[in-house]
Amino acid sequence: MANEIVKKILHPPDLPNVVKGDGRYLMTLLRQFLAEQAMQVNAANSFTSDDVRDDKEGKRPPIRNFRLTFDQLGGHLAWDSVQDVTSLKCYEVRENKHPGSDVGLLERTPKTHSDRLPISYVGHIYLYAIDKQGQASTPAEIRYTKQRPTMPQDIALTKTNEGTLITFLEIPLDCIGAYIYVDGRRHESRSNIFLYTDERVIGKLEIAYFDQFGEGERGILYLVMPPVDNFLVERNGANLDYAWDPLPIHNVRYEVRVGVTASWENARKLFTTKINKHRYRYPNTGDCYMLIKAIDEHGNYSAEAAYYALTNKEDIHKNVILRLDQKALGYPGAKRNLYYDAAEEALLLEGNEMEGAYLVDVRLPQKYRARNWLEFSVIGSTNDTFQFDDLDFAWDSQEAADTMWNGIAGDIGGVEVRTEIAVQTGDSSASYSLLLPFAGTLEGTGGTATAEGNVTYQGGRWHSGLLLSGRSKSKASAAIPSQFGLVFWIRLQGRLPCTDFVRLIGADGTLVVGYDEITGAYALTGSDGVTLYATQPYRMQDHLFVGVSQTEQERTFYLYSLHAGRTASVTGRAAPIGAFTELRFDVEGGISI
């Protein structure tokens, strides 16, 4: 088909009312040739009307063969003529279903084609036939999605006597031309060859194909190395962390220097790297400038250096080593599922427990700015009594070699030590709305709890906590704003029935953290009707960390099980209930917080 059109262009047939060489005739054939070529190369660029529905919306039958094709002249709409041409007033190409209105109108035309399209890559077009009485036909519809022009490839420059010849891959059949940006100045070309005649040196060349909707992604070629953007240096302990935006240049690398001024030539080289981040140990103190330049594969540097002004503070102490001998003190820390055996002088697991926790309080004599690490060793022993009658393996077998015999103490490879950092409880100088540690007292920062009934204390997570049972109740005055964060630990002591752990009470409503024994779920329930559920497997003697957060638009309920090592978190859309002035602790099961 395309070859026949080319023959008609080169050798026009003898047709009535057509003069050979007529521009209109050649333009028609050219459009036919481009449309046919576009359909053969990329069938996805052509769109046809949807099937006509049985329920007609207009007084006249719908228009047939409504189609849209994209080529190098832009988008082109075409359709078949109506049968009763004598009664036709015009065709309306529209973006909506309101024939006769100027709103949403693209074009009114007596022709069977149009080049008027919506201004977006995704659109919906309707076509109506309007008769001389003003009656509209059932609309023909086209839904199209035009792909954004791709990035030009194989960009090359060649120096000639006339100037600089810029070439790239051919313009796609569904694009009109290409925009060529030379150091930010835009030029336009309808082919993939462009002659740049300006005598100025080209530093950055960008090329993008464009169609009637706009330009696509730009292909970039750097002839002068650009500066590095978003250069950032941060101090982390004794290290400096460097980061910056990578450059889209093949085989690029980066060089970083340091100096007392922002002068690249007078600065001292620190390192060179091919990635856009680096960690470097730089213990010197004082004010300095960190500078960076990019380097291409030919050794060309960025014309300008990006810099970051840095102030390195001196550490209070370089190294602080604390040695804690818990054995000599009889292991006074908080023991979870453990007990101290005086004869063994060791911590042993209780009963059939498979894991335990020993928490020790570490107090530093002052504030430090330093890195820290933990070094520990574990000595394990067993107090089980083995009888030879119970053994079913030989004395010199591998099973015997792997068995920990009674009375032998040594390293146990299966013992795991996990270190944790406790939640900071703050000091009097910190800003807290309310802080109630319940560490053997009801007094706190910002409020004091009032006990009702028999109040006792037992071991909580980090320290002794308030034991709540059916015989004890307590409440505390508070000053909690409408947007807040609330955290606390719960240690379960026995069976847990339907329980409200904590109630936040205010003039505008309440917020309750509780447990539903029937569903086995923990809940955060608000008086505004919003309830958030978090499920954790129940286990007696488990430690639960509870968190509640209220922002301007969201409420979050956070629950962590220390035994299961599992986190459950749920967030819901909820406005603040209001400020709270009182906290109540009133439970039915045995817990300590």
Side-chain angles (χ1 to χ4, degrees):
M1 180 65 180
N3 293 333
E4 295 179 1
I5 297 176
V6 174
K7 291 178 181 179
K8 291 182 181 180
I9 296 176
L10 299 178
H11 305 288
D14 294 329
L15 299 175
N17 301 325
V18 175
V19 180
K20 294 183 178 180
D22 190 343
R24 292 175 297 174
Y25 173 75
L26 293 178
M27 181 59 68
T28 302
L29 291 178
L30 178 59
R31 180 173 287 281
Q32 294 178 4
F33 170 74
L34 293 175
E36 181 66 24
Q37 190 179 24
M39 293 177 63
Q40 293 178 2
V41 175
N42 190 355
N45 291 336
S46 181
F47 301 85
T48 58
S49 60
D50 299 336
D51 294 337
V52 178
R53 297 182 297 274
D54 294 335
D55 53 331
K56 297 181 179 180
E57 301 179 8
K59 301 295 184 180
R60 300 175 59 89
I63 304 170
R64 300 289 179 177
N65 200 19
F66 184 34
R67 56 197 180 274
L68 167 62
T69 303
F70 293 99
D71 55 32
Q72 290 184 345
L73 297 179
H76 182 68
L77 294 168
W79 54 89
D80 293 347
S81 174
V82 297
Q83 295 180 356
D84 188 8
V85 180
T86 58
S87 63
L88 178 70
K89 178 181 178 181
C90 66
Y91 298 99
E92 280 194 8
V93 184
R94 311 188 55 83
E95 292 185 280
N96 56 29
K97 289 186 176 182
H98 303 292
S101 172
D102 292 335
V103 178
L105 177 66
L106 295 175
E107 186 178 19
R108 290 190 179 99
T109 176
K111 303 176 183 178
T112 57
H113 59 85
S114 174
D115 296 332
R116 298 290 299 273
L117 267 69
I119 59 175
S120 62
Y121 284 98
V122 179
H124 195 172
I125 307 175
Y126 301 91
L127 177 64
Y128 291 88
I130 311 296
D131 61 16
K132 295 179 180 179
Q133 284 75 35
Q135 295 179 333
S137 67
T138 299
E141 304 178 26
I142 286 181
R143 299 174 185 267
Y144 72 89
T145 300
K146 171 79 165 55
Q147 182 182 5
R148 189 167 178 254
T150 58
M151 178 192 302
Q153 302 291 335
D154 298 345
I155 302 174
L157 288 82
T158 305
K159 196 68 177 178
T160 65
N161 293 331
E162 292 82 9
T164 302
L165 192 64
I166 302 173
T167 59
F168 44 93
L169 285 186
E170 293 183 354
I171 297 175
L173 296 175
D174 60 346
C175 293
I176 298 175
Y179 289 137
I180 301 170
Y181 297 87
V182 180
D183 293 330
R185 295 189 176 186
R186 191 175 81 174
H187 306 271
E188 183 177 325
S189 176
R190 296 304 175 103
S191 69
N192 63 325
I193 300 175
F194 178 74
L195 182 63
Y196 179 71
T197 57
D198 200 316
E199 297 181 355
R200 287 177 293 185
V201 177
I202 300 176
K204 180 181 180 182
L205 178 64
E206 301 172 273
I207 301 177
Y209 299 126
F210 71 90
D211 55 18
Q212 67 191 86
F213 302 116
E215 69 176 51
E217 187 178 0
R218 297 184 184 183
I220 303 175
L221 180 65
Y222 292 97
L223 289 92
V224 176
M225 288 297 293
V228 178
D229 292 330
N230 295 327
F231 182 44
L232 179 65
V233 185
E234 291 183 343
R235 175 77 183 274
N236 289 317
N239 294 318
L240 296 179
D241 289 336
Y242 300 79
W244 56 88
D245 291 346
L247 292 176
I249 302 175
H250 174 67
N251 204 20
V252 68
R253 63 187 191 276
Y254 308 91
E255 182 177 313
V256 175
R257 297 185 179 185
V258 60
V260 295
T261 62
S263 172
W264 178 262
E265 291 75 14
N266 298 328
R268 179 171 63 88
K269 177 180 176 180
L270 291 180
F271 60 87
T272 302
T273 180
K274 286 190 174 183
I275 60 177
N276 64 317
K277 58 182 178 180
H278 191 77
R279 170 166 286 188
Y280 187 81
R281 184 177 181 85
Y282 190 72
N284 292 5
T285 59
D287 298 333
C288 61
Y289 288 88
M290 295 291 175
L291 303 100
I292 186 172
K293 280 190 176 184
I295 314 170
D296 64 13
E297 57 186 346
H298 306 293
N300 299 315
Y301 282 74
S302 301
E304 299 178 358
Y307 68 87
Y308 186 90
L310 180 70
T311 299
N312 251 348
K313 296 182 179 179
E314 183 179 0
D315 288 334
I316 300 176
H317 293 281
K318 291 293 182 182
N319 293 289
V320 176
I321 300 176
L322 297 177
R323 183 179 299 274
L324 302 175
D325 190 347
Q326 296 297 288
K327 181 179 179 181
L329 300 176
Y331 298 99
K335 295 176 280 293
R336 305 291 175 257
N337 299 333
L338 296 172
Y339 70 94
Y340 175 62
D341 191 317
E344 291 281 349
E345 296 184 344
L347 295 175
L348 302 179
L349 287 172
E350 294 179 345
N352 296 324
E353 297 293 341
M354 298 301 297
E355 61 179 276
Y358 176 70
L359 308 176
V360 57
D361 188 13
V362 177
R363 298 184 181 276
L364 300 178
Q366 64 183 84
K367 293 183 179 180
Y368 295 93
R369 289 187 71 252
R371 294 173 299 169
N372 62 81
W373 67 94
L374 295 174
E375 180 181 353
F376 49 81
S377 60
V378 178
I379 301 297
S381 66
T382 175
N383 59 356
D384 291 336
T385 302
F386 284 94
Q387 300 292 333
F388 285 100
D389 293 340
D390 299 333
L391 303 181
D392 57 357
F393 47 82
W395 181 262
D396 56 352
S397 64
Q398 185 63 40
E399 289 87 341
D402 293 339
T403 300
M404 180 70 69
W405 297 100
N406 184 31
I408 304 297
D411 293 337
I412 295 181
V415 174
E416 177 186 356
V417 174
R418 183 174 61 184
T419 59
E420 297 183 17
I421 299 177
V423 178
Q424 179 185 2
T425 57
D427 53 41
S428 58
S429 62
S431 176
Y432 289 92
S433 297
L434 178 65
L435 178 63
L436 292 171
F438 291 124
T441 177
L442 296 178
E443 296 181 358
T445 302
T448 300
T450 301
E452 299 178 8
N454 185 20
V455 176
T456 57
Y457 299 91
Q458 285 193 7
R461 173 58 181 157
W462 301 106
H463 45 63
S464 296
L466 178 65
L467 177 63
L468 299 179
S469 64
R471 300 185 304 273
S472 62
K473 301 178 182 180
S474 64
K475 61 182 179 179
S477 59
I480 302 177
S482 58
Q483 299 182 40
F484 67 94
L486 171 69
V487 293
F488 58 92
W489 279 94
I490 297 177
R491 182 189 179 191
L492 303 176
Q493 298 283 76
R495 187 184 68 86
L496 187 61
C498 294
T499 301
D500 291 342
F501 299 127
V502 178
R503 297 191 191 98
L504 284 75
I505 302 173
D508 299 323
T510 60
L511 198 60
V512 181
V513 178
Y515 174 76
D516 187 351
E517 185 181 18
I518 300 176
T519 61
Y522 298 85
L524 173 63
T525 305
S527 58
D528 55 357
V530 178
T531 302
L532 304 177
Y533 293 98
T535 303
Q536 287 285 15
Y538 174 77
R539 181 180 183 273
M540 192 180 300
Q541 302 294 333
D542 193 7
H543 291 81
L544 299 176
F545 179 78
V546 182
V548 178
S549 173
Q550 175 67 65
T551 64
E552 185 177 358
Q553 298 178 345
E554 292 182 339
R555 188 177 302 160
T556 300
F557 184 36
Y558 178 94
L559 193 64
Y560 169 73
S561 170
L562 183 66
H563 171 71
R566 178 176 173 270
T567 298
S569 178
V570 58
T571 300
R573 300 278 297 182
I577 294 177
F580 300 101
T581 58
E582 184 178 333
L583 275 75
R584 286 185 178 270
F585 309 94
D586 182 9
V587 301
E588 297 298 333
I591 65 170
S592 60
I593 63 175

